[in-house]
Amino acid sequence: MANSLLTGISGLRGHQKMLEVIGNNLANVNTTAFKSSRTLFSDLIYESQRGASSGTTGTLGSINPLQVGTGAQVTSVDRNFQQGNLEATGEALDTAIDGNGFFVAESTDGQIYTRAGAFSIDASGFLVDPSTGYLLQRFGTVGEDSADGPAFQVNGDSSIQIPIGASILGTVTTQIEFSGQLGAASTGPTQRSIGGVPLTTGGGTPATAATLLNNLASSVTPYGAGDRLLLTGQQADGTPIISSLIVDATTTVQDLMDHMATLFTASTVSLVGSTVTVEANATGLTSASLTIEDDVNNTGFQDAQLTNQFSETAEGAEASVVSGSLPIFDERGSQHTLGYTLTKQVDDSWTLAVDLDPLSGTIIDGLVEGIQFGADGSLTQVSGVGAGDGNISVLFANSTGSQSIDINLGTLGEIDGLAEIGTGPSISFLTDGYSPGELIAVQIDSDGTIFGVGSNGLKFAIAQLAIAAFSNPDGLLNSGGNYYKSSLASGSAVIGTALNGDRGAIRAGQLEGSNVDLALEFTKLLVAQRGFSANARTITVTDEVLKELTNIIR
């Protein structure tokens, strides 16, 4: 009879624990990153009233065992590590893990783990959990090497230092990366060329320099002594031309060209095929023109094939030019403005030239030459050497030595930098120098990298959050304060970075909410209450039976 009392008591104890677990879940319905738990039961050892026996063939069958249970017990309290809802907070240092993993913190008892990411920066500039003072830990060497930017982390110390307001030293510019479009229709400089129609002899063969004017097919009446040609127009620079050439039966095409050469001093007069051509020596827009006419008093006469206004065969043009300016920094971080000009050459290559205000410094080497692009517009080569190679050199004012700056125009054969494509010039640049400033804010990337933002516009990596993974998270020990400790069941923490392995992504400006399901917990609460009441009834009924038993002897 006593067994039924003990059985009821075991049920009361078990359901009391179930109520405690449910109550804890409900109490933490608004706890950051809280993981709900559930209660699992198992039956206790059984009292055997009769053993089992096998049957006798043809006589008796087997006999089943007779066992009476002694109650129930709480087998385990399991945690539900299902992802909680992510809630936006707008706080830069609030972080949540979207997926598996735990933040790593350093406590007085060693490493401890949490999914609650409401962090802040303490008075010493360390990233901490403000509710406990635990120091958040980093992984890797991000933020230790000053060659990658300001370095605030100490080699061998995994705590994260974010000294808001700390000075950021300026650095010298060592590289300029150009990218963008130079325009597919860009052209090099060209020379203005003017010329008449092709000249032929009376027999129809092309004229040469030695051909007499009277033998040209355009000759109507042969020239004689005292005849002359009148030449008017203007030179390439706009200087007016008014001249005359005495001609007779011996005058040749070469004589005419020689006289024209004395008029066009900045041009070259030549016979191209059988066409007398005047080509400006300089490239660019010019205004050269020429008209040859017979004097009205001539005995000889040429028709319009010779005495015409020379027609334009090629307009001179300026080279395509793209110019702009960009900031560069000296060894003290002082900013200077570097002007740049990209000019297309006659051979279709480009030349980059830079200039600097004399008050800022002196250009020692300011050219990059032989910049060539392929048919598809991709960069094919930079063939300049010496003073025209792929870098420039600047001597900043008050500096003791010149500073070499590498000019990066992109990958050969690719269009990832400068490219001769598009409808017009559109150039952008990126430099690696910066002026002095101070750390004013931080941003956290999805891989856990913490970036510092300087007052000078610089953005640089400060550190990378350490994220722990466990082979059996259910085996972790709750230590309170939203923290867990590792155990023999959970295995050791495997620490790495977010988005690596089975670790989730970091969501900045958000916190993970509790995953407690209120509807489910209230339902379980009713079930636990009924279970407790039923076991209490077992004890009550047993008590009544015992009373009846004791009344027998009265």
Side-chain angles (χ1 to χ4, degrees):
M1 192 65 68
N3 281 350
S4 60
L5 287 174
L6 296 176
T7 300
I9 291 172
S10 70
L12 291 179
R13 288 175 176 172
H15 284 86
Q16 176 61 41
K17 292 298 180 183
M18 184 177 180
L19 286 170
E20 292 175 4
V21 171
I22 295 172
N24 185 59
N25 289 342
L26 293 174
N28 288 281
V29 68
N30 289 312
T31 299
T32 303
F34 177 77
K35 301 303 177 185
S36 62
S37 300
R38 64 174 181 172
T39 308
L40 298 179
F41 294 92
S42 67
D43 49 358
L44 287 172
I45 191 171
Y46 282 77
E47 176 185 351
S48 294
Q49 303 291 325
R50 180 183 65 207
S53 65
S54 60
T56 302
T57 303
T59 304
L60 293 173
S62 60
I63 299 175
N64 294 331
L66 176 60
Q67 294 180 300
V68 178
T70 58
Q73 64 178 346
V74 176
T75 302
S76 65
V77 178
D78 289 344
R79 272 184 303 271
N80 173 18
F81 276 101
Q82 182 178 356
Q83 178 81 46
N85 293 330
L86 300 185
E87 304 167 0
T89 65
E91 296 292 331
L93 292 177
D94 282 352
T95 54
I97 300 176
D98 188 0
N100 297 328
F102 298 82
F103 297 110
V104 182
E106 185 69 26
S107 70
T108 54
D109 296 329
Q111 283 189 344
I112 199 166
Y113 313 97
T114 184
R115 287 183 63 89
F119 305 137
S120 67
I121 301 172
D122 69 2
S124 300
F126 287 96
L127 186 66
V128 300
D129 178 349
S131 65
T132 61
Y134 295 158
L135 298 170
L136 273 298
Q137 301 295 285
R138 63 187 177 91
F139 183 82
T141 60
V142 175
E144 294 181 2
D145 189 355
S146 59
D148 298 328
F152 295 129
Q153 308 312 315
V154 178
N155 188 10
D157 182 0
S158 295
S159 300
I160 301 174
Q161 298 188 47
I162 308 178
I164 297 295
S167 296
I168 301 173
L169 298 177
T171 62
V172 67
T173 297
T174 61
Q175 184 179 69
I176 302 173
E177 297 181 9
F178 283 92
S179 60
Q181 304 175 1
L182 292 173
S186 58
T187 60
T190 59
Q191 299 155 293
R192 181 179 176 88
S193 177
I194 61 175
V197 297
L199 302 178
T200 59
T201 66
T205 60
T208 66
T211 300
L212 296 173
L213 296 185
N214 285 343
N215 290 340
L216 294 176
S218 59
S219 179
V220 177
T221 303
Y223 291 124
D227 288 344
R228 65 176 184 169
L229 296 177
L230 303 178
L231 294 86
T232 57
Q234 59 183 11
Q235 297 190 49
D237 61 1
T239 302
I241 293 174
I242 301 176
S243 181
S244 63
L245 171 65
I246 302 299
V247 296
D248 56 24
T250 64
T251 304
T252 64
V253 172
Q254 183 65 56
D255 294 330
L256 174 61
M257 293 168 54
D258 290 342
H259 183 71
M260 291 169 60
T262 65
L263 304 177
F264 293 94
T265 55
S267 302
T268 299
V269 181
S270 59
L271 193 65
V272 180
S274 61
T275 301
V276 178
T277 303
V278 180
E279 186 176 71
N281 293 336
T283 58
L285 296 173
T286 60
S287 55
S289 64
L290 177 64
T291 299
I292 302 176
E293 298 176 307
D294 287 308
D295 191 312
V296 295
N297 297 317
N298 283 354
T299 59
F301 178 78
Q302 297 279 331
D303 69 11
Q305 292 188 60
L306 178 61
T307 58
N308 66 330
Q309 180 176 357
F310 271 49
S311 61
E312 178 182 298
T313 59
E315 175 65 81
E318 300 289 351
S320 294
V321 176
V322 181
S323 60
S325 61
L326 53 88
I328 59 173
F329 302 89
D330 62 23
E331 56 196 3
R332 300 180 183 180
S334 298
Q335 180 175 326
H336 307 274
T337 299
L338 184 74
Y340 67 86
T341 302
L342 281 154
T343 306
K344 194 162 188 180
Q345 306 300 309
V346 176
D347 63 356
D348 283 338
S349 69
W350 290 78
T351 295
L352 172 67
V354 299
D355 61 84
L356 189 66
D357 187 324
L359 296 178
S360 294
T362 304
I363 299 295
I364 305 300
D365 172 8
L367 289 177
V368 177
E369 298 175 317
I371 304 170
Q372 297 276 4
F373 297 90
D376 62 351
S378 62
L379 182 69
T380 57
Q381 68 175 10
V382 179
S383 59
V385 296
D389 61 9
N391 58 65
I392 61 174
S393 181
V394 179
L395 177 61
F396 292 110
N398 300 322
S399 294
T400 57
S402 61
Q403 174 63 43
S404 179
I405 302 176
D406 180 57
I407 303 298
N408 186 348
L409 302 178
T411 307
L412 296 183
E414 302 291 339
I415 56 173
D416 56 357
L418 275 186
E420 201 174 56
I421 58 176
T423 58
S426 175
I427 303 298
S428 59
F429 55 83
L430 180 66
T431 66
D432 62 349
Y434 49 86
S435 61
E438 61 182 31
L439 181 63
I440 59 174
V442 294
Q443 299 173 355
I444 302 178
D445 209 350
S446 59
D447 66 352
T449 300
I450 303 173
F451 288 93
V453 180
S455 59
N456 53 4
L458 179 67
K459 183 178 179 180
F460 57 95
I462 291 181
Q464 189 168 16
L465 288 169
I467 304 297
F470 294 90
S471 57
N472 177 26
D474 291 334
L476 291 170
L477 294 172
N478 283 97
S479 61
N482 291 333
Y483 282 91
Y484 303 91
K485 291 182 179 181
S486 61
S487 70
L488 294 176
S490 68
S492 299
V494 181
I495 299 177
T497 59
L499 297 177
N500 190 344
D502 192 35
R503 303 173 189 87
I506 301 299
R507 305 302 182 197
Q510 302 181 59
L511 289 176
E512 183 182 5
S514 170
N515 69 351
V516 173
D517 185 336
L518 280 176
L520 178 63
E521 295 303 324
F522 281 136
T523 301
K524 287 184 176 180
L525 190 63
L526 294 175
V527 172
Q529 180 185 16
R530 294 302 181 189
F532 189 93
S533 297
N535 282 278
R537 181 64 61 188
T538 299
I539 295 174
T540 301
V541 171
T542 301
D543 179 58
E544 293 294 330
V545 171
L546 289 173
K547 285 182 181 180
E548 291 296 330
L549 182 62
T550 56
N551 288 334
I552 292 176
I553 60 175
R554 289 181 181 179

